[in-house]
Amino acid sequence: MISNYFKIAWRILIRQKLFSLINIMGLAIGMAACLLIVQYISFELSYDNFHKNGANIYRIKHQNYSQGNLVENMPKTYSAVGPALKSSFAEVQEFTRISKLDGLVTTQQPNGSVIAFNESKVYQADASFLRLFSFPMVKGTTTALNDPNTVVISESTAKKYFPGQEATGKTIRIQQQISGTDIKVVVTGVCKDVPSNSHLQFDFLVSGDAKAGDWVYPDSYTYVSLSPQTNPKTFEARLPAFIKKYATQSGQNASSPTQGKTNINSITLSLQPLRDIHLYSNLSNEISNGGNGNLVWYLGLIAVLILLIAYINYVNLSTAKVIERAKEVGIRKVLGSQRAQLIKQFLFESLLLNVISVAVAVFIVLLCMPWFSALCGVQIGFTLWKDPYFAFGFIGLLTAGILLSATYPALILSDYKPVQILKGKFMNNAQSIPLRKALVVFQFVATIAFMMGTLVVYRQVNYMKNSNSGMDMKQTLVVLAPQNIRATDQDAMNFAAKDSVFQNELLRDPRIKNVTSSSSIPGESIGYIMSYTRHTQAGEKSLRLSTLEIGNRFLDQFKVKVIAGEKITARTNFSKSPMMLNEAAVISLGFKNAQDAVGKFVETKNGRGRVFENEVIGVIQNFHQTSLKDDYTPLVVRAIDPSSVTHYEVKFNSSNLPQTIAQIEKTYKNVFPEAAFQYFFLDEFFDQQYKVEQHFGQVFSLFSGFAIFVACLGLFGLTLITITQRIKEIGIRKVLGASVSNILLLISKDFIGLILIANAIALPLAYWGCYKWLQNYKFRIDFSAWFFIMPMVMVFLIAILTVSYQSIRAALANPVRSLRSE
């Protein structure tokens, strides 16, 4: 009996080729889109899930308040916090700390040559790091960092620095610029390359200092492993008392902040679940670029809607074909078919069509996965089939789709008496028409919402990329400064001389407009944060501000506007420790306005407790140090010290760029022969901050296109069926003198009315969703009438074109042929 059902289903599938093709393509594209999105969501949600004890691992989040205002919100805290937590709370099973140690890495090869690279994934870590996290070791064990001056490297790093050699036992030299660190470490372990779904991305792990740490400066990423029975909220509630206790013990109280650093009575510590860091952490000085949980769930909603549109097409077309199959069902019932048998027949037809659609969908996914991976900006493969939960979920979803898409037309047909059907009374029945119309409206509500969402996302990303950041970053090449030691005064003097030679030599080249240097570049969070105190009659105002050190030509080169006072130049009097503020810092320090700040003094203390009075000589206009997603960073600008130079910014002419870069490299090698030459373009680097939004916009646009295509397939199929059902009416109207435009209007008016209803529903919903999404951005676009007009016009045109093709064919057909046919 089952084989008979399949034979009939296959014959019907073959006989109705166009109808079957529309259904299969609609379902396959909908399923493929859904699978691709679910694969991406699965990857995003899998971050840090591979750690065996990941559910119990938390990062310590550090928040600093000044007079009740949040001034720092970051993932780094004092190096003493980890050991103190371990000794104070039995719930803390283990802790580990890591800190940045980027610099020049060199190795001596057996033939005497040297391999040297500036590395950005070098971290100093406690020995417990390899025990707390589950990064598999290829060589060595989890005790590889127990001894001082040891390092664990990744497999690819081992091949990079020790090609064709055994890495363990070899020596690596690491020179760190800012701190003056120069260490030689022995490779004691090699780990597998860090998975792409880890927020911790490293190539080198250098053994850390086993000391208890200090409460001076928050520079350590600290992770703790809590016992499984611990309630995180209860544990967090005990942290304020913990801070107060150690503030007292370390001598840091409200009246005497140690060495001018942060008063830790103003600090709040909290727990950040390890598995939430990638998607739900929007902190300054993040260890790596994270994702966006809201965007991921937006894509999930898109996946559901696309699949719904695909199945709505199937239900719509199936119910519309009911009339054509009415006589078939009537004859079957006359010959003895029971209602249950008819329902089974329809279910098997749906099963066959769905199975074919799944096969086509999987083929599309496998074909598109490399391209989709590049579009998303992550290296992912189609691994959903390995997840047993997905298999059960997908089979359940497929079964539900088969049942829902087949049951309604089966129940309609099987419920009629054969006499009614064979007499043609069924032809006048319209009980399925309201449902079809409602489903068409739903399709186009989703389609219009997708269009408006795509437009808003595209405009917002373009706005952030092309908006005036307050700095001229075009045609600017950034060259990494040599990662040499500058810890001693002599080192600093040597570098200062070479620094001057390098910049002056570049300025001799007519292809180079200007050269400057800085301690940080636009597009990255400023890691140099100092405490500043302003004394007024109303009291003392202290807060920590990002501090940018710049060369003499920096402000002119980047066209940063000075709105009050004067700017830092080579002629500036440095006897009063001059500094500049941006507008945001003027407000933060409580000045009335920019002019009020000029000439005032702000106090700072260095790490040894020495007090400096800094004169505010000028105020600059706000510029975006980081992306437009965030507010302006309150910023202190000071003249650069040679030991702080991390980047050179080279302004060049657009002509002969390869030759210009070659000349810059030649000059660099002549002045800094021991350093590795590395460069990048500043505007491209700055735009990397919008990578998540760019990829989201591309993916959103792609699947919006899928949704529109699937909806149009359904509309095309419905139009085809409508014309088939009304072919004699069209013939009679043509005989009586109806024009092509009359016929087109006759067939189109019902669909146009449905689209107008869909617009009325979709536009307010889409506006609300887009408005909520835009609230995530401090600087955002304003809504304009075009956001509403364009989706309306585009959907209307797409629908008219889809309907018109079949309608015009029917209107141009010979009416005699349609009137003769039965």
Side-chain angles (χ1 to χ4, degrees), residues 150-204:
T150 55
V151 65
V152 170
I153 61 177
S154 64
E155 277 188 296
S156 59
T157 303
K159 294 175 183 177
K160 177 179 175 181
Y161 283 91
F162 306 104
Q165 307 170 53
E166 175 61 52
T168 52
K170 298 293 194 305
T171 300
I172 290 177
R173 184 184 181 189
I174 301 174
Q175 298 169 275
Q176 211 276 337
Q177 172 181 312
I178 302 301
S179 67
T181 303
D182 181 17
I183 55 174
K184 289 185 178 181
V185 290
V186 177
V187 179
T188 52
V190 178
C191 66
K192 286 188 176 181
D193 287 344
V194 179
S196 55
N197 60 341
S198 170
H199 87 281
L200 286 168
Q201 295 291 326
F202 61 86
D203 291 326
F204 301 82

Side-chain angles (χ1 to χ4, degrees), residues 607-639:
R608 299 174 182 176
R610 184 182 174 187
V611 177
F612 290 88
E613 291 288 339
N614 302 269
E615 182 184 7
V616 180
I617 64 169
V619 177
I620 58 174
Q621 192 175 52
N622 283 332
F623 63 83
H624 292 282
Q625 174 65 25
T626 53
S627 77
L628 275 72
K629 291 184 283 187
D630 305 315
D631 203 351
Y632 291 114
T633 304
L635 199 61
V636 173
V637 178
R638 307 175 71 161

Side-chain angles (χ1 to χ4, degrees), residues 481-506:
Q483 303 295 298
N484 295 338
I485 302 174
R486 306 178 210 170
T488 67
D489 292 340
Q490 186 59 48
D491 291 332
M493 289 175 63
N494 292 339
F495 177 80
K498 290 185 175 183
D499 170 83
S500 179
V501 170
F502 176 65
Q503 295 194 46
N504 290 331
E505 283 296 315
L506 289 183

Side-chain angles (χ1 to χ4, degrees), residues 684-702:
E684 293 178 359
F685 177 81
F686 192 85
D687 287 346
Q688 285 180 0
Q689 298 174 102
Y690 307 122
K691 185 171 66 174
V692 172
E693 282 74 18
Q694 283 181 282
H695 291 313
F696 173 72
Q698 292 168 346
V699 172
F700 196 96
S701 301
L702 171 68

Side-chain angles (χ1 to χ4, degrees), residues 275-430:
R275 293 173 179 174
D276 288 352
I277 291 174
H278 174 67
L279 290 179
Y280 301 104
S281 182
N282 186 25
L283 308 178
S284 61
N285 293 291
E286 231 346 319
I287 199 166
S288 61
N289 292 326
N292 187 313
N294 291 332
L295 298 188
V296 167
W297 293 116
Y298 277 132
L299 288 176
L301 177 62
I302 292 173
V304 172
L305 288 176
I306 290 176
L307 197 59
L308 277 176
I309 289 172
Y311 272 110
I312 284 170
N313 273 351
Y314 181 81
V315 172
N316 262 342
L317 295 177
S318 298
T319 53
K321 294 288 284 184
V322 160
I323 296 173
E324 291 185 19
R325 301 193 61 182
K327 289 187 178 180
E328 173 197 336
V329 172
I331 293 170
R332 285 176 180 275
K333 295 192 81 170
V334 168
L335 295 176
S337 291
Q338 301 298 315
R339 187 180 187 189
Q341 292 174 316
L342 292 171
I343 292 174
K344 287 178 184 177
Q345 179 62 54
F346 279 95
L347 288 174
F348 271 95
E349 289 175 19
S350 179
L351 174 63
L352 179 62
L353 193 140
N354 273 269
V355 168
I356 295 173
S357 299
V358 168
V360 175
V362 171
F363 174 76
I364 293 173
V365 169
L366 293 175
L367 191 67
C368 295
M369 185 55 72
W371 174 74
F372 179 69
S373 179
L375 187 71
C376 294
V378 290
Q379 293 300 315
I380 53 177
F382 187 57
T383 58
L384 287 174
W385 58 274
K386 296 179 181 179
D387 188 344
Y389 294 104
F390 169 77
F392 286 117
F394 185 73
I395 292 171
L397 186 64
L398 183 63
T399 303
I402 292 169
L403 292 174
L404 291 174
S405 59
T407 300
Y408 182 73
L411 290 175
I412 289 176
L413 281 174
S414 61
D415 190 44
Y416 275 85
K417 295 178 180 179
V419 176
Q420 291 176 314
I421 297 174
L422 295 175
K423 281 184 177 181
K425 291 184 179 181
F426 182 81
M427 299 293 288
N428 298 321
N429 185 279

